[in-house]
Amino acid sequence: MRKIIHVDMDCFYAAVEVRDNPGLSKQPVAVGGRAERRGVIATCNYIAREFGVHSALSSAVAKKRCPDLIIIPPNLNKYRDVSRVIQNIFHRYTDVIEPLSLDEAYLDVSSSEHHSGSATWIAQQIKSDIFHEVGLTASAGVAPNKFLAKIASDWNKPDGLKVITPEQVDDFVFQLPVEKIHGVGKVTARKLHNLNFRSCGDLQGATETELIERFGKFGKSLFRYARGIDERQVASHRERKSVSVETTFRDDKHSLEELYRELPGLIESLERRLNNLSSRSFKSLFVKIKFSDFTSTTKERRAEFILDDVFQSLIDEAFGRKEQSARLLGIGVRLSETEIVEHFQLELPFH
Ligand code: DCP
Ligand code: MG
């Protein structure tokens, strides 16, 4: 039986900003782009969440919902530094760590000798180390696998600790709403509800074949998750498949020329991100355009290097797919199989 801990910082970027400016601790605070520049909210503190503010909401809407909201521009370097300190704390307890983003990681402590091998004590200790050394609260989930550990860390947020022992797994999943399953978004949830699958207990009534017929490959995972089974290992090195950057324009772009003009700036920030990689062998380049009706399209072509004219012709093709102006342009590279994640996923830029 494995012992997995999932640690997730509470309202991470916002918590860092409030920590560094304690005068804000009783105010609704968000981190994100400016409302007047079509920015979006990266995250916000729990006071702001009570007003309906959340990640990925446009800052303009956030301001409407919460007029007193203080929106701070992101300081990604600061969050990266904090993240490094947190990662070092994890390493005191195990080397089997899989970071998912700056503020979140899985730890496999099955063979840890700390605290007589009690994963619950280790999780408590990690939370306490983070609080005393970084001044921030984290939530942790302890369970026999990744699927359950992640659900558990979210269970009593903020500053939560939830343990699911092997004996509790069956009862826990039986009543678990299907929308708690990782990978079940709004669309899949609706589909499941229409089939009368509301809890994992309901889902246990379906055969694997039936679920695969209805949900494709994901059906296989659904079948196992519904029984609390997840054999995925905590992978300390994960392959990163692509690196990309994108920008949302203040005003929609109506012509190809206008889009081309954005290219040098985007290539530059893409290059900056690629600087962190150990190898630079690409499989392909791609572009993404989001149109004024919010639909998106992508175009991709094989290429081993960043070539301006490949991006240009991809933009040409993508933009030509609709008679509409563009509100967002993104470019990226798909990496060859050998590229290994350094430590963290890259975050979206803010413009
Ligand atoms: N983030 C972002 N854009 C998003 C979602 C998240 O930039 N659409 C950033 C800001 C968050 C950080 O990633 O602080 C971590 O994401 P989480 O989903 O863990 O959210 P928080 O830590 O902010 O809040 P919670 O307490 O719910 O974990
Ligand atoms: Mg978090």
Side-chain angles (χ1 to χ4, degrees):
M1 194 58 79
R2 293 179 299 155
K3 296 173 193 167
I4 311 295
I5 302 176
H6 180 256
V7 181
D8 188 317
M9 301 299 294
D10 301 320
C11 53
F12 183 47
Y13 297 179
V16 173
E17 297 302 338
V18 172
R19 177 197 71 178
D20 295 346
N21 190 347
L24 298 176
S25 67
K26 301 230 157 39
Q27 318 247 34
V29 176
V31 171
R34 298 221 305 261
E36 47 301 350
R37 301 191 60 182
R38 297 227 240 169
V40 287
I41 300 296
T43 191
C44 62
N45 66 1
Y46 282 76
I47 304 174
R49 288 182 198 194
E50 283 174 26
F51 291 84
V53 179
H54 57 77
S55 296
L57 188 69
S58 88
S59 300
V61 173
K63 270 286 201 187
K64 269 192 203 118
R65 291 188 185 173
C66 179
D68 293 332
L69 185 67
I70 297 162
I71 303 182
I72 299 170
N75 297 297
L76 279 173
N77 287 335
K78 185 152 84 170
Y79 314 143
R80 278 194 197 105
D81 289 346
V82 174
S83 185
R84 240 167 255 135
V85 180
I86 295 166
Q87 300 283 331
N88 287 337
I89 291 175
F90 296 158
H91 274 285
R92 292 175 194 160
Y93 301 93
T94 176
D95 284 323
V96 190
I97 300 168
E98 178 182 348
L100 297 176
S101 67
L102 291 182
D103 93 317
E104 194 187 338
Y106 289 113
L107 284 66
D108 187 329
V109 295
S110 308
S111 33
S112 174
E113 275 156 17
H114 284 271
H115 301 84
S116 327
S118 160
T120 306
W121 283 18
I122 294 174
Q124 237 150 11
Q125 196 59 49
I126 288 173
K127 275 165 55 68
S128 149
D129 289 358
I130 291 175
F131 186 74
H132 289 109
E133 295 170 39
V134 191
L136 298 172
T137 61
S139 294
V142 181
N145 61 48
K146 284 162 80 167
F147 163 64
L148 292 169
K150 183 154 170 119
I151 293 172
S153 74
D154 203 42
W155 210 253
N156 298 319
K157 245 181 187 299
D159 200 14
L161 174 64
K162 163 89 178 155
V163 182
I164 304 170
T165 64
E167 298 73 41
Q168 293 165 343
V169 170
D170 286 346
D171 288 343
F172 183 82
V173 289
F174 198 80
Q175 47 68 47
L176 190 70
V178 289
E179 45 274 46
K180 292 277 185 189
I181 299 175
H182 184 66
V184 174
K186 278 194 189 129
V187 177
T188 312
R190 201 174 313 129
K191 208 162 148 187
L192 286 164
H193 291 170
N194 288 341
L195 295 163
N196 272 327
F197 298 137
R198 298 203 162 265
S199 66
C200 288
D202 298 337
L203 255 187
Q204 288 174 11
T207 64
E208 188 172 13
T209 322
E210 190 184 337
L211 291 175
I212 291 172
E213 266 165 26
R214 295 199 189 268
F215 298 93
K217 225 171 109 192
F218 187 52
K220 211 170 172 144
S221 305
L222 278 176
F223 182 80
R224 307 185 130 248
Y225 290 161
R227 288 161 178 75
I229 300 169
D230 175 15
E231 267 135 27
R232 288 174 302 157
Q233 297 296 308
V234 173
S236 345
H237 293 286
R238 228 160 24 115
E239 268 182 14
R240 181 160 53 183
K241 298 207 170 73
S242 67
V243 177
S244 61
V245 293
E246 55 184 32
T247 182
T248 301
F249 308 122
R250 203 177 318 180
D251 300 301
D252 287 357
K253 304 283 182 218
H254 298 276
S255 70
L256 262 183
E257 286 66 33
E258 283 177 277
L259 287 174
Y260 288 164
R261 251 178 263 141
E262 298 294 324
L263 202 48
L266 279 170
I267 290 181
E268 203 178 302
S269 40
L270 182 64
E271 293 275 12
R272 252 196 311 275
R273 289 184 170 206
L274 292 167
N275 273 341
N276 300 326
L277 301 182
S278 42
S279 94
R280 295 202 39 171
S281 93
F282 307 145
K283 273 201 299 205
S284 62
L285 307 184
F286 61 91
V287 307
K288 168 178 156 191
I289 287 182
K290 195 188 266 181
F291 293 101
S292 49
D293 66 357
F294 282 80
T295 58
S296 306
T297 187
T298 57
K299 264 274 169 191
E300 186 163 346
R301 185 167 311 156
R302 293 189 71 83
E304 285 175 9
F305 308 98
I306 290 191
L307 297 165
D308 301 29
D309 49 352
V310 173
F311 278 131
Q312 282 208 356
S313 73
L314 289 171
I315 291 174
D316 193 341
E317 288 163 34
F319 191 55
R321 279 186 170 162
K322 271 207 172 164
E323 299 255 9
Q324 282 201 22
S325 51
R327 74 187 312 277
L328 173 151
L329 174 64
I331 62 168
V333 298
R334 235 165 272 293
L335 304 168
S336 332
E337 315 300 341
T338 50
E339 186 58 63
I340 303 290
V341 161
E342 298 280 313
H343 229 78
F344 314 116
Q345 283 177 335
L346 291 164
E347 314 283 312
L348 282 175
F350 292 85
H351 288 274

